[in-house]
Amino acid sequence: VPEHRTGPILAMAGSSALPSGSHAAAASTGGMGSIDANKEMGLISAKVKALEESHESRLKRKELATEKLLALQKRFAEKDKELSHCKGVYAAACLQLDEKKQRRDTLRAEVEKSSSGFNDLMSVALAQSRKAAHCVRELSYKQNAAELAEQRGYSCSRHSPRPDAPLLPSARRPQRPNNGAHG
């Protein structure tokens, strides 16, 4: 134990540990006082020793606590640095996410617009296809009817004018010769 630590403690212990008047009592009793004085000195030295041990224990605990505090402060600084790095990464990720969401919304709007345009185009194409198919059927029918009428020499259609084609004899009844006698 260093001397500078025990010096003030012994001085304090010596002055406050003895009750007032104990020196006078020890001097008046003679030999008995020396035994009491030795006993008191032993008690005082035990108290001083306990105080020194307590002081040393507190100093060690203080040093350990200081070392622990420094280690924790260092760890805190490292964690704070990690936290600031994570915040930076998080901010960048949020920025990218917002940009991607905006891009997604833009693309979604373009897809919806294109789909709507495509659906309109398909409906127009379907209508034109149906109209063209109807026109083809009608034209084909008229063409075939005209060819058949030409082959037959007459038309069966009620709406078409009859050409001045000679009448063909009917297949159901035989034609009688017109002699002019029946009249």
Side-chain angles (χ1 to χ4, degrees), residues 27-169:
S28 67
T29 55
M32 284 300 262
S34 68
I35 295 176
D36 285 338
N38 284 339
K39 217 182 216 187
E40 281 185 35
M41 281 305 276
L43 288 174
I44 291 172
S45 66
K47 286 181 181 180
V48 168
K49 189 174 182 182
L51 281 173
E52 286 177 353
E53 289 175 358
S54 170
H55 181 69
E56 288 176 12
S57 165
R58 284 194 178 112
L59 284 176
K60 285 181 184 178
R61 283 194 324 202
K62 181 182 175 185
E63 288 176 13
L64 290 174
T66 304
E67 289 174 8
K68 188 175 182 180
L69 176 66
L70 291 175
L72 289 174
Q73 284 177 340
K74 183 179 177 182
R75 187 173 174 204
F76 179 76
E78 291 171 358
K79 294 295 181 180
D80 194 35
K81 187 177 177 181
E82 285 180 29
L83 178 65
S84 63
H85 174 72
C86 289
K87 283 183 178 179
V89 169
Y90 176 75
C94 285
L95 238 152
Q96 287 178 350
L97 180 65
D98 290 341
E99 289 173 0
K100 287 183 179 184
K101 281 182 179 179
Q102 186 178 13
R103 186 173 169 208
R104 177 205 61 195
D105 293 341
T106 303
L107 290 174
R108 185 175 285 162
E110 286 181 25
V111 166
E112 287 176 4
K113 183 179 175 184
S114 298
S115 294
S116 175
F118 183 72
N119 289 339
D120 291 345
L121 178 66
M122 290 302 293
S123 64
V124 167
L126 181 64
Q128 286 180 347
S129 171
R130 287 179 180 166
K131 186 175 181 180
H134 174 71
C135 289
V136 165
R137 281 193 303 266
E138 187 176 332
L139 187 63
S140 176
Y141 171 76
K142 286 180 181 179
Q143 177 95 19
N144 288 339
E147 286 177 5
L148 286 174
E150 190 177 315
Q151 287 175 0
R152 284 190 304 252
Y154 64 91
S155 175
C156 295
S157 173
R158 178 182 337 176
H159 302 290
S160 66
R162 293 183 180 228
D164 292 338
L167 293 174
L168 296 175

